[in-house]
Amino acid sequence: MRTSKRILSAVIALMLAVIALTGQSTVSARNAQLSGKLEIFSWWAGDEAPALDALLSLYKTQNPNVEVINATVAGGSGVNAKAVLKTRMLGGTPPDSFQVHAGQELIGTWVVADRMEPLDDLFKSEGWDKTFPEGLTALLSSDGHIWSVPVNIHRANLMWFIPDNLKKWGVEAPKTWDEFFVVAEKLKAAGVTPLALGPAWTQQHLFETVLISSLGAQGYTDLFAGKMKWTDDKVKAAFTTYAKILTYTNTDANALSDWDAAAAMLVDGKAAFQVMGDWEAGWFLTKQKLEPNTGYGWSAAPGTEGTFDMLSDSFGLPKGAPDRDNALAWLKLLGSKEGQDAFNPLKGSIAARLDSDLSLYSVYSQSAAADWKSNVIVGSLTHGAIAPESFTGKSPDLLVAFAQSGDVDATTAAFQELADSTTAAK
Ligand code: GAL
């Protein structure tokens, strides 16, 4: 009896020593005890599912006793998910953790409404103070607290194409919109749609890159900081360019299901180019089995070379999350090197962490990582970095109306009114 007790305490002492020595064991030991459910809410459904699936299966391996509920509401850039989330948050039935863009979408909505838990302790316990770029942590912070965990960095200002098709049509990717107009005439004459375009949010996505090209990185940032008016002549010039670009797009843009339907026009040889974020690289890889450079090509959206229009997907912890401990384990995985390097190579984004293993990433992503270090950074409008939801929720409709009316003066005045009301509401 005494001997077996001694053996048992020796075994326990050994286990404790191992757990104390390796942080990893601490996590596994704790995670094995987690049970119950975990509901993750996002818009990564359908074509956008593979990267999230990789992360969820890692979570299941680490937490075998937790039942994971993958609650997705399809619709690129969260057009539908955000409305469903709002109903749930306001109705007092939040998911355990949800996708939200770093920047104004997070801070200007759920943080100001006091619906989120600060994650300062998590950042401290995980040693994340130097893990992410300072500028990114700033986007996740307000009032001295950090409010979500970033999983990636996406680039919005890219133009995609199929190199073999361009060769066939005898054109090259244009570096400016003026070059595009020349190339577009040639394509049009050959019966090819020069620029594939999807529904309203993708039109705003295109428009923000036109704004960057017309105003430059500083001007674009100034516009959203209220230092430049929407009625400024330079902004009006951007609208004029945008109107001309629209004449080279497919006429059924508003009827397409989403950004990937427009991307399919490139693969099908119906259209030459598409301006879209680099989730398209993830789609080429996971859904089309195309390799960078040989299968698909990219360049900066015309006139935006040297500027990196960024956005970051992050997840937060809503107050009243039903499975708080399980959600914290999710957030830890999300911010970990292992989690980020499993997710991002499939997503087309680069890791938010500074120490990710780039050898796991495609040639495209490696080039994005280099640009992320060397380019001038601006925040995406469409993807929540630079403007609050009260603005981005309404601006796509103004652009759709502009596509019909072509009225630059009325539209820029309407945008200025929207910007004023948004600032007043802050
Ligand atoms: C963005 C999101 C990306 C991607 C894209 C298309 O808002 O940040 O991760 O999902 O929408 O849906």
Side-chain angles (χ1 to χ4, degrees), residues 203-211 230 238-239 242 399 415:
Q203 298 171 29
Q204 174 170 256
H205 185 115
L206 167 65
F207 175 71
E208 83 180 54
T209 71
V210 178
L211 266 183
W230 282 85
F239 274 93
Y242 177 65
L399 286 172
F415 265 93

Side-chain angles (χ1 to χ4, degrees), residues 43-44 48 76-77 99 101 152 154 201 259 279 311 313 347 383:
W43 59 84
W44 290 328
E48 296 209 65
S77 80
Q99 177 185 4
H101 287 123
N152 65 5
H154 265 308
W201 77 263
W259 66 273
W279 40 93
L311 57 120
D313 292 303
K347 187 69 172 70
H383 307 282

Side-chain angles (χ1 to χ4, degrees), residues 64-385:
N65 301 324
V66 176
E67 183 196 335
V68 177
I69 301 161
N70 180 11
T72 54
V73 178
S77 80
V79 276
N80 306 318
K82 286 179 204 168
V84 175
L85 179 68
K86 195 171 174 185
T87 309
R88 290 191 55 174
M89 292 287 277
L90 300 183
T93 54
D96 292 312
S97 184
F98 62 85
Q99 177 185 4
V100 62
H101 287 123
Q104 282 301 310
E105 186 179 311
L106 165 75
I107 305 298
T109 310
W110 303 119
V111 175
V112 292
D114 196 23
R115 300 275 170 168
M116 305 303 287
E117 279 199 40
L119 298 175
D120 310 355
D121 290 348
L122 178 68
F123 271 65
K124 206 173 281 164
S125 68
E126 296 306 294
W128 286 343
D129 56 334
K130 301 240 154 38
T131 305
F132 306 110
E134 261 172 48
L136 178 59
T137 309
L139 273 184
L140 306 165
S141 307
S142 72
D143 295 336
H145 298 294
I146 308 177
W147 300 100
S148 68
V149 178
V151 67
N152 65 5
I153 301 290
H154 265 308
R155 185 177 186 184
N157 59 321
L158 291 153
M159 181 177 250
W160 305 94
F161 50 88
I162 305 292
D164 282 351
N165 287 346
L166 296 199
K167 231 176 269 162
K168 197 166 70 194
W169 299 322
V171 299
E172 280 180 10
K175 290 205 172 344
T176 63
W177 285 112
D178 280 341
E179 275 181 40
F180 169 81
F181 295 137
V182 175
V183 167
E185 279 302 325
K186 194 166 175 184
L187 289 163
K188 224 175 166 179
V192 176
T193 300
L195 192 69
L197 194 60
W201 77 263
T202 73
Q203 298 171 29
Q204 174 170 256
H205 185 115
L206 167 65
F207 175 71
E208 83 180 54
T209 71
V210 178
L211 266 183
I212 297 168
S213 90
S214 293
L215 305 179
Q218 191 57 51
Y220 171 85
T221 304
D222 285 351
L223 178 65
F224 287 97
K227 293 181 191 159
M228 187 191 285
K229 293 260 181 236
W230 282 85
T231 46
D232 190 292
D233 281 347
K234 286 194 225 101
V235 181
K236 288 187 177 172
F239 274 93
T240 306
T241 304
Y242 177 65
K244 187 166 178 190
I245 295 166
L246 290 182
T247 65
Y248 294 103
T249 59
N250 43 303
T251 49
D252 61 352
N254 289 322
L256 292 199
S257 54
D258 214 336
W259 66 273
D260 48 353
M265 292 176 68
L266 307 188
V267 177
D268 295 345
K270 291 186 181 139
F273 303 104
Q274 183 190 12
V275 170
M276 193 34 64
D278 51 12
W279 40 93
E280 190 140 329
W283 178 83
F284 278 129
L285 177 76
T286 60
K287 293 289 157 182
Q288 303 295 323
K289 313 284 177 233
L290 291 175
E291 296 287 332
N293 284 326
T294 48
Y296 71 89
W298 70 92
S299 57
T304 69
E305 179 89 58
T307 298
F308 193 114
D309 181 16
M310 69 76 68
L311 57 120
S312 171
D313 292 303
S314 74
F315 282 77
L317 182 63
K319 283 186 174 167
D323 309 284
R324 190 176 179 279
D325 287 349
N326 296 345
L328 280 168
W330 160 254
L331 294 175
K332 278 179 196 165
L333 170 64
L334 211 73
S336 70
K337 189 171 173 190
E338 186 187 15
Q340 303 219 341
D341 282 346
F343 176 84
N344 288 302
L346 299 173
K347 187 69 172 70
S349 39
I350 52 173
R353 292 180 66 106
L354 293 162
D355 61 354
S356 80
D357 179 358
L358 275 181
S359 72
L360 300 170
Y361 289 71
S362 73
V363 179
Y364 164 71
S365 296
Q366 289 170 2
S367 83
D371 289 345
W372 172 239
K373 279 194 188 146
S374 64
N375 283 6
V376 177
I377 311 288
V378 298
S380 169
L381 160 66
T382 309
H383 307 282

